[in-house]
Structures are given as structure tokens and as C-alpha cells.
Amino acid sequence: MAAPAPGYPASPAEVLDVVGVGFGPSNLGVAIALREHNATDRRRPLRAHFVERQATFGWHRGMLLEDTTMQVSHLKDLATMRDPGSRFTFLSYLHDRGRLADFINYGSSFPSRREFHDYLEWAAARVTAGADDVTVGYGSEVVEIVPAPGSAASVLEVVVQGPDGVRRLRTRNVVLACGLTPALPEGVGTGRRIWHNRDLLFRTGELAGTDPARFAVVGAGQSAAETVEHLHRTFPDAEVHAVFARYGYSPADDSSFANRIFDPAAVDDFYTAPDAVKQQILGYHANTNYSVVDPDLIESLYRRHYHERVAGVERLRFRNVSRVADVVDTGDRVELAVESLIDGSREVISADAVVYATGYRATDPLRLLGAGLAGSCRRDASGRLVIGRDYRLTVEDPASTGPVTAGLYVQGPTEHTHGISSTLLSNVAVRAGEIVGSIAAGGPVPAAAGRPARDGASLTR
């Protein structure tokens, strides 16, 4: 038998309580909730192992742009909304780093993206330091999840490909937090000169020492505007063409009343609402999150554009009410055909690189499940997964001999059941507490478990 790899259970026969697939902010929140559960309930500590494909912890590293700030209050961190006294809060991080007074003097509730990433790294290291109840295996990937042989559907087997070969983990529960997949228009693939904004810093770093003349950025949301601003500032001799179907960037609604859509209590409201009301809510409040831009950034970009027009040297150009009709990578440049939505006229832009800031889509949570298990996940009349209030999939036995009792939980692809905050940071702390509460109880628990009282005030996304 191979020696246990770092972060793996000591014995392949051990049945874990939880295996987490992915170790981004969502499952990091679960790891923290597990550690805190074990600290307060020592009768039966929950044993968990998380599997992460990256070699180290990382969250949107390619978009950690200089001077960009979070669009979420620091109080909506990995723990505060569930337990303000937690040692994993952002304020605990600041105190540990010796910057608490400095951050107070900073005068903003919104830390920089780089600082928040440093907080996440700090928490990821701290949650496993000296712990044998919660461990992480980096540089590994889950290949398949199937019912464990001879377990009467009460235990799942998680097949993991790691640097030392294939290992099989046995667990009573799996928490799937597979993250988001970059979304690109049909027929478009990334390459040396065609990027998704996820890789922006990595790709622009490869241009060091070169003298690019022109970039094109496709998209109208926050990431697109940030990409335009970054390229315009980083390459002072290059033109930056922003291509989008709107007349201009639309401002994000971060007003106090609208932000209640991100409250923990809003998840309860959404979950119990009729489908027609769910769709209305998503439609009403899409402008809190989708294809919208921070108003300050909109104003900054417009002022730059205007001052360049005054000076007669336009590097920042907006191709509005337009779409990309064709894109061809010729090897040394990209030919981009931009078509007006008004009259159908076309203009070809020759660019050094094209950046698609076209968002993300939730990764299919069933792609890792064996065919029998995946086919046994219940769906509603619209073909969508049936997901419990505790984020647990409803699974029936592949052999139709009764329900699978092992727990399969999902984080991310739950907007149709739990609302607009499903893929956002706002409810990470509360959601993690609800999932751990359900696991500890062996099934669904009241929705209020693990979250603050309903009258807690909203702050922001």
C-alpha cells in the first residue's frame, strides 16, 4: 500500500464524513465551518478532506488588477455573517497582519481585490494548520464519484488522480464546489492572441518588452470595463477598442434596498416562492450583478475618453451597439469583424490581442458522478436539478431499491432554487454553516440553522 500523501487520510479504508470537491472560497467556508463545529461539538468530530486541482490556493489570480476593489463589504467574509466572534474573520486577518488600525483609517468597507485574496490565502493556510480533522490535497483532481461497493448506498467512493497516482476516498457526504467555467461565444476558442479575461494578467505579462498597438475587449460588464481600464493604463501607446451591444456601460445597483436581495433571509424567501415569482425576482434584480459596472469606473472611463477627444488623440474607443461578427487569429495578429447592430455595416479591426470578458457559467455538478448516480439525481418539470434548502441533491438509488442515503451537496449552480447570491461571496459564511449543520444532523435541518436572525441588515453583495 502506498504511503499516505500529504493531506490524505492515513488509511484508504477510513470512511470520511465529508469530501469536498474544489477548494475555492465556497468550500474554504465549509472547511472553516467544520473546524468550528468540531471545536464546539467534541462528541463526534466530523472528518473532512478537500481535493483541489491547483497546486496552491488561488482565486481569480488573473484578475487581481492594481487598485481594483471588492464589490462586497469586508463583513461578508468567510465567517462574520455566521459568527462574528470567529477567528477566521477578515478583522482577525487584519489584526494578525498588523493592519487593523490602518484599515480603519483607510475609510472604506471595500478592501482591494489583492488584499481580499491575501485574506483568503491566510484563511486557507490557517484552517488546516495543525489539523487532522480537516485536510486539503492540492494538485489533485476528482475523476469520478460512485456509490462505494457494498455500502448499501450510504457511502460514496471518490476517485482522485493526484501526483502520486490514483487514490479512492470513501465518504458519507460530498460537497461539490466546482467553481465557474469561462463563457465564450459559440465557435470562439482561446489561444495566444485570443484570451478570456480570467487570464488577463498572465497573458499581458507575456507581452513584456513588446510594443502592442491595439487591443479589443468584448463585453459590457464589470470585468470588461476593468479590462479596458487596465489595458489602457498598462500600455500607454496602444489603442483599446471596447465592443458591446449596448449604448454604454450600465451602472450596477448597489443601493441599500436592492442589496437586500443578498441577505441570508432572501434565500428563504426565494426558495419558497413560486417559480413565476422567482423569475420576477431574478429579472428585477439582475442589475445588481449581471452585465453592470461600478458607477465610479464608468465615470472614469468616460472622462478619459472625453479628454482624449479634446486632445485629438483617441486611444480609448467604444464600438457600441455592435457585435463581433467574425474573429480570425492569423498568427501575428487577430482580425476582428465588428458589425453595427443598427445598419449592419462592418469594420475590420486588426488587433494584437482580443480579450473576451463574456462572463462565466456554472460548472455542471453532475459531470463527476458516475452515469448511474448522475441519472438518479431528480429533476423538476423544467429539467433542472431538485436541490434541497440545505443545498443537498435529491438522489434515488440507481437500482430503484430505495434512496441513496449518502449526502451530495452542491455550491454554485443553485440560482434557480436559492437565488442570485448562489455564485457570489455574500452568503458563503451562512451557506457553509447550513451545509455543515445538515451534514452533522444527517439530513435537512431548519433553514435558520447556521445563519443570523432575519432582521440582520444588508450591506452589499
Side-chain angles (χ1 to χ4, degrees), residues 3 89 383-384:
T89 65
R384 302 169 302 185

Side-chain angles (χ1 to χ4, degrees), residues 29 33 77-82 425-434 450:
D77 55 28
L78 298 168
T80 297
M81 293 290 286
R82 183 184 69 253
L425 288 170
S426 299
N427 279 326
V428 166
V430 174
R431 181 172 65 241
E434 291 172 346

Side-chain angles (χ1 to χ4, degrees), residues 52 54-66 68 113-114 117-118 120-122 124 138 197-204 230 360:
E52 171 54 47
Q54 298 183 96
T56 59
F57 183 89
W59 178 68
H60 294 300
R61 288 184 179 275
M63 283 296 288
L64 298 180
L65 307 179
E66 183 180 355
T68 54
R113 198 173 293 164
R114 288 182 177 179
H117 188 273
D118 188 59
L120 295 175
E121 288 184 306
W122 170 88
Y138 288 103
N197 70 276
R198 178 188 67 171
D199 300 319
L200 181 64
L201 287 181
F202 308 133
R203 293 297 193 175
T204 54
H230 176 75
Y360 297 83

Side-chain angles (χ1 to χ4, degrees), residues 198-267:
R198 178 188 67 171
D199 300 319
L200 181 64
L201 287 181
F202 308 133
R203 293 297 193 175
T204 54
E206 297 170 358
L207 297 177
T210 67
D211 189 22
R214 189 174 294 108
F215 294 96
V217 179
V218 183
Q222 180 72 23
S223 293
E226 288 178 351
T227 297
V228 167
E229 192 280 334
H230 176 75
L231 292 173
H232 186 266
R233 172 168 43 85
T234 304
F235 300 95
D237 296 322
E239 294 179 2
V240 180
H241 295 247
V243 183
F244 46 77
R246 304 183 179 201
Y247 254 96
Y249 297 117
S250 297
D253 183 356
D254 64 350
S255 59
S256 300
F257 284 113
N259 275 329
R260 286 182 170 175
I261 194 66
F262 303 110
D263 284 359
V267 178

Side-chain angles (χ1 to χ4, degrees), residues 369-392:
L369 305 185
L373 190 56
S376 301
C377 294
R378 284 184 55 194
R379 296 181 180 271
D380 62 18
S382 300
R384 302 169 302 185
L385 289 170
V386 174
I387 302 172
R389 175 60 185 83
D390 59 349
Y391 300 91
R392 183 168 174 164

Side-chain angles (χ1 to χ4, degrees), residues 149-165:
S151 67
S154 63
V155 176
L156 297 172
E157 183 176 80
V158 182
V159 183
V160 180
Q161 176 68 57
D164 60 340

